[in-house]
Amino acid sequence: MAKPTTVADEGRDVLNGRPAVHDKKHPLAGSAAAVDERLGVGKITKFGLRKVFPDHWSFLLGEIALYTFIVCLLTGIFLTIWFKPSMAEVEYDGSYQLMKGLMVSEAFASTLDISFDVRGGLLLRQIHHWSALLFVASVTVHMLRVFFTGAFRKPREANWLIGVGLLTFALLAGFSGYSLPDDLLSGTGLRFADGLIRSIPIVGTWVEFFVFGGEYPGGLIISRLYMVHILLIPGLLLALISAHLALVVYHKHTQYPGPGRTENNVVGYPLFPVYMAKAGGFFFIVFGTMVLFGGLFQINPVWLYGPYDPAKVTAGSQPDWYMGWLEGAVRIWPNWEWHIGSTTWSWAIFLPGVGLMGILFTALGLWPFIEAWITGDKREHHILDRPRNAPTRTALGVAGMTWYGFFWIGGANDIIATRFQLSLNDITVFLRIAVILGPIIAFFVTRRICLSLQRADRERALHGSETGEIVRTPEGNYYEDHVPVPAGELHALTQHIQYPVLVADDGTGPTGVAGTPKVSRFRERLSRWYLGRDIRKPTREELEDAHHHEAQHAIGTGSPEEDVKVPEHSGRH
């Protein structure tokens, strides 16, 4: 009888003598492995899921901007299905009885149809409008946070420029969007834009005919704005947002000063699972808020304004909030005009309407490079400034906000006059003065507040926190007892870098070595103006002496002496 053939143990690896591994993989595992082998998705995913995000609430401002933009895209896709971007006149035959039989443009008629005849159309239209307003607001506030904390410094200058571009296109997206319904209010806004274009010296009329397809209002502006609003600007915004997020990933997030936070790390939560859950929940909070606003608060009721008629104007018309400052500047500007030959140079329109926009966005774009030039700072920054520790920058920011605010109030001077029974001329004269003096006063007041806070921080770091307890010494003297501040707070009070004021140099340097950067007298004066009033933070030696003095007080009052540790960073300038 022949012996049976040897059968290998199914639970053993025949070649290596080890137990065989039975891989019962998920059906999609093979496909995922194939994709990973070819595209490296696994490494990218692992890197992305391990990215750390800071936990400070102010970083949510950028997320609000992103989420409201997504809501605008989603609701905008819905609206494009029914909106007709045409200025051709048709007889309105929709559900709104008060306008039945009127000759209106197809754009206005389709807006009414979306509002009254499309199921959920009015809700989606109002969600879209509220989201657009919050998108511009969140971008603006996010940029203010970046400015006041110094997050625009090296190596993030390019991201700051992208942010300026995002703000610019957000304004253009909003203006082009609320001009599309072709109602009397949006037509008044287009008339304002036409005036700005026409005020451009020499070429203004030609540009107006090119944009509007003839003399205002022409017959093409709605269709052109439609393509700009749904295609060109969203494409540019998507490109800029993608570039912005890519640079955020590359440079890592900035972070506020605190224990364990340095220029070489990021302290926070990983994307998965913590931040992903937070971000997902926050998106639905933003989306739900927009739905709540769209359902409860009426906005842009075009049926109350009626179709646009170039012969009419809406009394008390107001643009969306982000364009109010521009209209206010035009309203309160003096009537300056030149008449050269057969031409009229209307500086009262061009300077406040076109010139101020150019000044604002040019100053925003150049500021990171201007500040670096004034301070001589060339190092990388990943730790944010406390606004008080950059008093001149903070004061300039508040002055700019005050300047913007007075122009913004000027955009409603007629409403203020009628509601409060005031003279329109008196309001205009007051705003002309306030728009000059207001920013100056705001600058000096803000800088004094920042310097006072710096001085208070220095005293707190040196002498600790007041306990409210009055102690009497054996000699009969009285003093208020203090306790040392915690190490984490001491770090926040003393970690910031203080720059020395630049000294004029012809390029030979203090040691006579040629090749050092030249510093002009003008740059020295700017540096002294920008940095010269900062309160000097305590050095390590001063902190040690102050803590030793407090310890001696503790011994004198019978309290046990405590060893006080001073962080290594506290002596850095």
Side-chain angles (χ1 to χ4, degrees), residues 463-483:
H463 304 299
S465 305
E466 299 101 345
T467 61
E469 298 178 359
I470 304 300
V471 179
R472 180 179 179 182
T473 66
E475 295 79 14
N477 298 322
Y478 293 90
Y479 68 92
E480 184 179 8
D481 197 15
H482 289 65
V483 294

Side-chain angles (χ1 to χ4, degrees), residues 152-386:
F152 55 80
R153 295 171 296 176
K154 184 181 178 181
R156 296 176 176 82
E157 300 96 334
N159 230 359
W160 171 259
L161 293 175
I162 290 174
V164 174
L166 282 171
L167 179 61
T168 304
F169 288 120
L171 296 178
L172 293 175
F175 177 78
S176 62
Y178 78 67
S179 300
L180 290 179
D182 201 27
D183 60 288
L184 188 55
L185 180 61
S186 66
T188 303
L190 276 177
R191 187 59 151 171
F192 181 82
D194 171 66
L196 295 184
I197 295 173
R198 191 181 295 185
S199 70
I200 300 174
I202 301 176
V203 299
T205 304
W206 182 87
V207 175
E208 177 203 19
F209 275 63
F210 175 78
V211 171
F212 289 91
E215 189 175 2
Y216 178 86
L220 301 174
I221 189 61
I222 296 299
S223 58
R224 289 180 174 179
L225 284 176
Y226 182 70
M227 296 308 298
V228 167
H229 184 70
I230 72 165
L231 184 62
L232 179 60
I233 293 180
L236 292 172
L237 286 173
L238 281 172
L240 290 176
I241 289 173
S242 300
H244 178 75
L245 295 178
L247 287 177
V248 168
V249 172
Y250 177 72
H251 291 140
K252 307 295 188 296
H253 276 81
T254 54
Q255 54 188 342
Y256 287 91
R261 301 178 183 186
T262 69
E263 299 285 5
N264 302 315
N265 68 355
V266 180
V267 178
Y269 297 107
L271 175 62
F272 182 82
V274 179
Y275 204 81
M276 187 175 290
K278 286 187 174 183
F282 190 56
F283 169 77
F284 287 106
I285 290 174
V286 173
F287 184 79
T289 302
M290 293 298 94
V291 173
L292 190 67
F293 273 52
L296 297 180
F297 304 109
Q298 180 176 270
I299 189 170
N300 199 25
V302 296
W303 53 90
L304 298 181
Y305 310 139
Y308 180 62
D309 184 347
K312 299 177 181 178
V313 65
T314 306
S317 60
Q318 299 293 304
D320 280 343
W321 71 268
Y322 46 84
M323 301 300 294
W325 73 281
L326 200 60
E327 182 164 332
V330 173
R331 289 188 184 191
I332 69 175
W333 203 270
N335 186 25
W336 294 348
E337 284 188 354
W338 288 358
H339 298 280
I340 303 176
S342 60
T343 64
T344 299
W345 298 49
S346 184
W347 300 118
I349 305 298
F350 177 77
L351 289 179
V354 181
L356 285 182
M357 281 196 298
I359 292 173
L360 175 63
F361 287 102
T362 301
L364 287 176
L366 294 179
W367 178 252
F369 310 100
I370 294 174
E371 181 175 294
W373 180 75
I374 292 175
T375 60
D377 180 23
K378 296 182 179 180
R379 70 186 75 191
E380 289 193 1
H381 296 275
H382 304 285
I383 299 293
L384 297 173
D385 283 336
R386 301 170 77 200

Side-chain angles (χ1 to χ4, degrees), residues 479-495:
Y479 68 92
E480 184 179 8
D481 197 15
H482 289 65
V483 294
V485 295
E489 184 180 354
L490 183 60
H491 180 95
L493 294 176
T494 59
Q495 60 78 39

